[in-house]
Amino acid sequence: MKKIFFPALVFLSAIIFQFCNSGKKITAASVESAKGLKDFYKDYFLMGVAVSPQSLKTDEAGLITEQFASMTPENAMKMGPIHPGINFYNWAGGDSIAAFAKRNNLKLRGHTLCWHSQTPRWFFTDSSVVPAKQVTKEQLLQRLKEHITAVVTRYKGTIYAWDVVNEVISDKADEYFRPSLFFQICGEEFVEKAFEYAHAADPDALLFYNDYNEINPVKREKIIRMVKALQAKGIPIHGIGLQGHWATNEPSREQLDKTLEDFSKLGIKIQITELDISVYPKEHDARDRKSSDYDTTFTPEKEQKQMEVYKMCFELFRKYKKHISGITFWNISDRRSWLDNFPVRGRKDYPLLFDKNLKPKKAFGEVVSF
Ligand code: GLA
């Protein structure tokens, strides 16, 4: 009895001493502040974050392990960076992220195996003939198979879910597929092939179709049509990724509610794969800065609006808890976001839950209060 009592007494005194000397009271809030997003949401979703290999060597690494349970490589596993030459893979970035995930017991999502953007030019070019010409459908599918097999096999057992195909549906109301080179050369077939190649390389990995702007009902209907067609053919598709690049003026509660309701009827998992909430009104096309863009201060008004949108999104995510299995933020903190250069080049944005000093913003408080 004495043996147990004494160390317990020492431990308790140490805690009381620490709090008395720091002038802090032991309150529910101080206990709560030790928790990360992953802990608040442990009974809901896997909370994730997009990372670069460089970020894992900075103080952001501590924030990642404290707050998140999952990571996605922001760029390192895209076709261009990981497969820059026909017979040349560059594994360094992907391997260092995979090693960090293993070391710190984080889950890893793979992103992305087939996308029209950040794909190297060689992929579509047959240079074995002079002059070089565009590859045939057979050649392109063979290259896609080799690429997917090599990348998925390398991270088999480490990556639990892949964004197999990214953004193939057109934004134009009267067009079904985006007229990418993949589509021009292969027609729609490359989508099902990509899923089949990924499944053959790792039958245990969960395979996702990932896209943006699903809150638009016309685009959403086309995505649902494509997913249903894949399901009807027995193609191994296990989830749908909603990127979630949103802003302070969209989506509305009604839009997001309807979007999640429609996708949940597909009977496959939903993940929010690239969440950020820009503090500027949504614009879809890239443009240069204008004089009206020069004031980029993170004002209390911007902070308030962003907080409200984050609160609304997470209320709805929790409503669809049965269908949503993961939520990944696109970038770690307001120190750096792809939105600093898109849609307006060189305009600072503040889209995340952590500020430039890696401290939780007010929006964080709203997200974890439920
Ligand atoms: C898309 C892609 C991501 C990333 C973002 C912008 O959403 O899926 O990989 O490139 O655009 O950073």
Side-chain angles (χ1 to χ4, degrees):
M1 177 69 184
K2 253 191 203 163
K3 266 190 196 155
I4 302 172
F5 184 68
F6 185 67
L9 196 67
V10 171
F11 179 66
L12 201 62
S13 325
I15 291 186
I16 292 169
F17 177 81
Q18 196 192 336
F19 273 89
C20 290
N21 280 285
S22 65
K24 285 182 196 156
K25 282 192 231 143
I26 305 177
T27 60
S30 54
V31 174
E32 292 284 85
S33 68
K35 282 177 146 194
L37 283 171
K38 63 175 171 25
D39 309 305
F40 287 103
Y41 277 97
K42 71 176 188 330
D43 297 329
Y44 287 79
F45 335 103
L46 208 52
M47 298 298 277
V49 63
V51 303
S52 65
Q54 296 75 16
S55 64
L56 304 180
K57 297 185 184 128
T58 70
D59 51 347
E60 290 187 315
L63 187 74
I64 294 167
T65 52
E66 176 189 285
Q67 296 288 336
F68 299 98
S70 162
M71 297 193 302
T72 302
E74 181 183 5
N75 287 302
M77 292 187 190
K78 289 176 180 168
M79 207 180 256
I82 211 166
H83 197 172
I86 188 159
N87 291 317
F88 173 50
Y89 287 89
N90 176 10
W91 301 114
D95 284 2
S96 72
I97 293 175
F100 184 94
K102 273 195 193 158
R103 246 188 349 264
N104 294 289
N105 218 5
L106 288 145
K107 296 256 199 185
L108 195 58
R109 299 188 87 256
H111 177 82
T112 172
L113 297 168
C114 178
W115 188 27
H116 65 277
S117 180
Q118 291 183 255
T119 300
R121 193 179 287 263
W122 71 260
F123 210 82
F124 302 106
T125 313
D126 179 359
S127 311
S128 67
V129 290
V130 184
K133 61 178 176 54
Q134 187 167 287
V135 287
T136 62
K137 176 174 175 178
E138 289 63 39
Q139 283 173 310
L140 185 56
L141 289 178
Q142 185 55 32
R143 286 182 182 185
L144 191 60
K145 182 176 188 180
E146 283 167 13
H147 170 79
I148 291 180
T149 307
V151 178
V152 173
T153 303
R154 179 138 187 128
Y155 299 111
K156 191 172 172 170
T158 307
I159 287 189
Y160 83 100
W162 273 103
D163 290 330
V164 178
V165 175
N166 202 26
E167 303 179 351
V168 297
I169 296 299
S170 173
D171 288 310
K172 297 189 184 135
D174 56 354
E175 191 175 65
Y176 183 23
F177 266 60
R178 178 191 295 277
S180 67
L181 275 176
F182 280 113
F183 181 73
Q184 288 172 35
I185 300 170
C186 297
E188 294 173 25
E189 206 182 325
F190 72 95
V191 174
E192 60 191 67
K193 290 292 181 202
F195 278 94
E196 284 175 350
Y197 301 150
H199 187 62
D202 184 358
D204 294 328
L206 298 176
L207 306 183
F208 280 72
Y209 173 70
N210 194 46
D211 212 328
Y212 64 90
N213 205 18
E214 298 92 343
I215 58 166
N216 174 322
V218 178
K219 187 164 179 188
R220 180 160 76 240
E221 191 277 322
K222 287 187 283 183
I223 295 173
I224 290 175
R225 171 154 50 121
M226 184 188 71
V227 173
K228 280 187 172 163
L230 293 172
Q231 288 175 315
K233 280 186 162 178
I235 303 298
I237 174 167
H238 311 114
I240 180 99
L242 277 60
Q243 292 183 1
H245 293 300
W246 295 323
T248 42
N249 64 332
E250 69 166 52
S252 67
R253 181 180 291 271
E254 293 66 37
Q255 276 174 324
L256 185 56
D257 199 353
K258 181 79 174 87
T259 303
L260 294 172
E261 185 189 335
D262 287 353
F263 282 120
S264 60
K265 289 183 190 143
L266 284 170
I268 50 179
K269 284 290 169 210
I270 300 173
Q271 291 205 354
I272 311 298
T273 50
E274 308 184 15
L275 183 61
D276 46 25
I277 311 250
S278 168
V279 298
Y280 303 105
K282 187 78 181 173
E283 289 178 64
H284 294 273
D285 299 316
R287 64 169 175 86
D288 286 326
R289 273 211 293 185
K290 297 186 288 205
S291 54
S292 52
D293 298 313
Y294 278 85
D295 184 6
T296 58
T297 325
F298 187 49
T299 58
E301 290 73 31
K302 287 187 179 119
E303 187 174 29
Q304 179 64 28
K305 276 193 192 166
Q306 184 186 48
M307 216 168 79
E308 285 161 15
V309 180
Y310 263 121
K311 181 175 178 341
M312 179 273 288
C313 288
F314 275 84
E315 278 167 6
L316 288 173
F317 297 158
R318 291 193 298 273
K319 173 174 171 188
Y320 289 93
K321 168 189 172 189
K322 229 170 74 196
H323 305 279
I324 300 179
S325 62
I327 295 180
T328 295
F329 289 83
W330 206 248
N331 298 129
I332 305 162
S333 74
D334 286 348
R335 245 181 224 179
R336 194 191 70 78
S337 155
W338 72 290
L339 294 168
D340 295 338
N341 282 302
F342 185 88
V344 180
R345 281 176 275 278
R347 180 184 65 178
K348 180 71 197 141
D349 207 334
Y350 307 86
L352 297 157
L353 291 186
F354 300 95
D355 68 16
K356 289 184 192 170
N357 299 316
L358 312 187
K359 295 280 172 271
K361 290 158 63 181
K362 282 192 188 156
F364 176 96
E366 291 297 329
V367 165
V368 301
S369 307
F370 58 94

